[in-house]
Amino acid sequence: MAEPCGAGDSIPLECPGLDTAAGEEFLQEVFQILLEEGVRKSTDVTQKVCDWKEPQELRDLLDLELRSDGEGRERLLQRCRDVLRFSVRTGHPRFFNQLFSGLDHHALAGRFLTETLNTSPYTYEVAPVLVLMEEQVLAKLRELVGWSSGDGIFAPGIPDPSRGVSLSPLCPWQPVRAALGVKRRSLSWAGGSMSNMLAMNVARFRRFPESRSRGNWDLPRLGLFASQESHYSILKGAALLGIGTDNVHLVRTDERGKMIPEELEKEIQRVKAEGSEPLFVCATSGTTVLGAFDPLDAIADVCARHGLWLHVDAAWGGSALLSPRLRHLLAGIHRADSVTWNPHKLLMAGLQCSAFLLRDSSGLLQRCHGVGASYLFQRDKFYDVSLDTGDKSPQCGRRADGLKLWILWKAVGTRGLAQRVERAFGASRYLLEQVKRREGFQLVMEPEFINLCFWFIPPSLRGQENSPQFWEKLGKVAPAIKEKMIRRGSMMVGYQPQGSHVNFFRQIITNPAVTRQDLDFFLDEIQELGWDL
């Protein structure tokens, strides 16, 4: 008579090692928690944006320690509730803190599908549906840029080179850090940052194909150019690729944060005179803080004169291409060699969803990154192996980030996505007019896009603009108001200094659930929290 499952000295293989019935019952209860706590409450304006706890208090509440024995179902369900309760509700109509916010139910369904499938779109054989979806979505994004052909990939995540151990991005980080006794954190570096780095790497490979095998040893000193307002990922990418941050030349911007083409020309000439070889220019369409759009046509002229690769970081502003009213902000983008575009921002596709788009259709991306691993990319498969696109990416396994965008696009169409962009723009214009009318609110500058930057001047500082301590004192106002609103849980908005400007608020509206009442509340709350400062 055979021994029952679980009996005996050896590991039993006669029956499954998972209780699927109990697992399905657990999932059904988790889905109810997700719907009630993660979707309904997280998007309910009557709920708090966050339930703030100090770090040690939160550690104690969550009981984070991992033990030898597992816990029961009820305890696990409560842990799921706690995760949602103590996390920031980024889908809340009064969450304005990042370039992403809101919750789209169709995109969320796509994310559920992605997690359920648990596959990587590196080959057609293991992800046939997802590979074809990604192909279609990338083609549509390229069409909006203005290209009839080209290439691309959804950017993966890799460990952040600025933290942890400096090892190959392909290594399994946790075991390596544990083996070395390293306790420093390592973070995922993903999305638009990775897309920008891919652009640098492909640009270097096109100019110097031997760099793929020989590295930087035989190359001249390269020069990369980006504006003073460009994203910090350009510096990180230069560090990771071995080009060096000293070889990233930041070009002066005008008072609105736009790169000045004449200054780019001067920087290129200066770098050439110093013996370096200019390689790559990154223009920005929608800077992180001010929302500035660089003049792409003029920058493209400079790049054409010098034979430089032009990359456009449109991670934030790329979605304006969907709107007939706003796409003029990116005039000239079709002249770029590559583009970064993050639909997880303004389109609300959900983190992460970052497309790296390439005008080249000769297979440059594959030649740059491909190594043809024989256990994945066999050439003698029975289907069209050009659909095995994973070798274009520096990462092996990666999430199918195109699925959620495909579902979202199918649900609302191109016209619906355009309306979403235009609604966000219209909401920011309403808020702009209110800021101008209210006493104590002062614009940093007139916004070009959705980024609305302003100071709140409390009554105690009004009329003291000529005082030597005015700006120093004003710089402390935004952090103080931010602390109050987070502890109250009423809303969340970002602040930062910028150049010579002391701390100011940067308000971003991407969530179509935001109403006029939410925007009025936003200004009322800042005024109330800052009144006695």
Side-chain angles (χ1 to χ4, degrees), residues 16-25:
L18 291 173
D19 186 341
T20 55
E24 289 178 9
E25 184 179 348

Side-chain angles (χ1 to χ4, degrees), residues 454-456 471-487 493-497 502-505 526 529-530 533:
F454 65 91
W455 291 284
F456 175 71
W471 290 106
E472 179 183 354
K473 291 180 179 179
L474 183 60
K476 298 176 181 178
V477 170
I481 293 176
K482 176 74 175 277
E483 179 181 354
K484 286 184 176 184
M485 74 175 66
I486 289 181
R487 293 189 182 279
V493 65
Y495 73 85
Q496 63 286 301
V502 300
N503 284 322
F504 56 87
F505 290 111
I526 285 182
L529 296 175
L533 294 177

